[in-house]
Amino acid sequence: MVRAGVADAARVNASWCDTVCRAHGLAGTFSRHVWKSARRTPPLYPDAVTLTPDASVADVLDGIDTSPGCSVKDSFGCLDLARAGFTVLFEATWITRTARVSLEPGWSRTDDEFGDPSVAVWSDGVSGVTANRDGDFAGLSNLYTHGDLDDAWRGATSAVAASFPGLPITGYERGDDLEAALRNGYTALGPLRVWLK
C-alpha cells in the first residue's frame, strides 16, 4: 500500500518537474520506470525521477546529461548511484493528505505566468505554494513562508484543496517542514533520496 502511494506521489511530482521544464523550453519524457530530461533541467529540479521501485541505474542514467551537477530523485530510496559518481544530497519523506477544508483568509491565486489548468500558484503575501494536478491526485510543492510554519501549512493545504477539490494531496518534505506537515494532518508514505553528481 505504501509503495502504491509513493508511486502516485512520485508521478505527480514528476509531472510538476515536466511542467517546469516545458515552461523553460525543455522536453521531458515519461517511460514506465522514469521521467527524465535529456537536457539539463532548471536549478533545483532533477534531471530524472524514478516512477517505480524496480527502475534500474541504467533506466535512470541513460539519455540524460550525467556531467557534474546532474541530479536524480530516487523516489523509493532504493538506487545505488554512488558507483556512477553520485552522492546523496538529501533524504526526505513523501506525504499525503485528503483535505476538504475552506480556503484560509487572505490566500489568492498568482499563477498568471503558467496559463496551465493543471497548475495553480497561491500566496497570502507571507507564504506561498504551488499546486499541480496529475490524474486523480494533487501535488503540493515549493511551499515557503516568512511567518509561522503551521499557519503556512494550513493555508497552503487549503489553497491546494481549493485548486483541485476532493483530490488527495501529495508532496515530500524533510526537517521542520515535515514535522509541520505531520502536525497538520499529513501522513508519511515512505522515503525518497536525491542524488547529486
Side-chain angles (χ1 to χ4, degrees):
M1 177 66 180
V2 168
R3 286 218 159 171
V6 169
D8 291 327
R11 190 189 72 251
V12 174
N13 186 260
S15 178
W16 169 238
C17 294
D18 189 64
T19 298
V20 170
C21 285
R22 283 188 283 111
H24 286 81
L26 304 173
T29 58
F30 283 87
S31 69
R32 188 171 87 77
H33 297 295
V34 183
W35 171 87
K36 64 177 78 172
S37 174
R39 291 176 48 207
R40 186 57 49 83
T41 55
L44 305 179
Y45 286 87
D47 297 290
V49 179
T50 60
L51 302 175
T52 63
D54 55 343
S56 69
V57 171
D59 290 331
V60 173
L61 299 183
D62 287 352
I64 66 172
D65 177 355
T66 58
S67 64
C70 178
S71 63
V72 172
K73 187 173 289 172
D74 175 8
S75 301
F76 299 84
C78 60
L79 286 176
D80 181 2
L81 296 176
R83 282 178 266 172
F86 289 76
T87 57
V88 175
L89 180 63
F90 67 84
E91 294 182 336
T93 301
W94 293 108
I95 56 174
T96 190
R97 178 183 174 186
T98 300
R100 288 179 175 83
V101 294
S102 299
L103 183 64
E104 291 281 317
W107 283 78
S108 60
R109 288 184 69 155
T110 62
D111 54 321
D112 295 339
E113 71 274 12
F114 272 100
D116 183 335
S118 71
V119 175
V121 181
W122 293 79
S123 175
D124 71 349
V126 176
S127 307
V129 70
T130 299
N132 76 292
R133 179 179 183 161
D134 183 87
D136 293 330
F137 293 87
L140 180 154
S141 62
N142 300 340
L143 186 149
Y144 69 88
T145 189
H146 302 293
D148 180 79
L149 197 51
D150 287 299
D151 288 346
W153 272 95
R154 281 190 295 276
T157 299
S158 76
V160 177
S163 302
F164 307 112
L167 298 186
I169 300 170
T170 65
Y172 70 89
E173 296 297 342
R174 60 191 178 119
D176 292 343
D177 279 299
L178 175 60
E179 291 177 14
L182 297 177
R183 283 195 304 271
N184 284 279
Y186 287 81
T187 300
L189 288 174
L192 69 105
R193 190 175 290 140
V194 173
W195 295 84
L196 178 67
K197 189 167 186 180

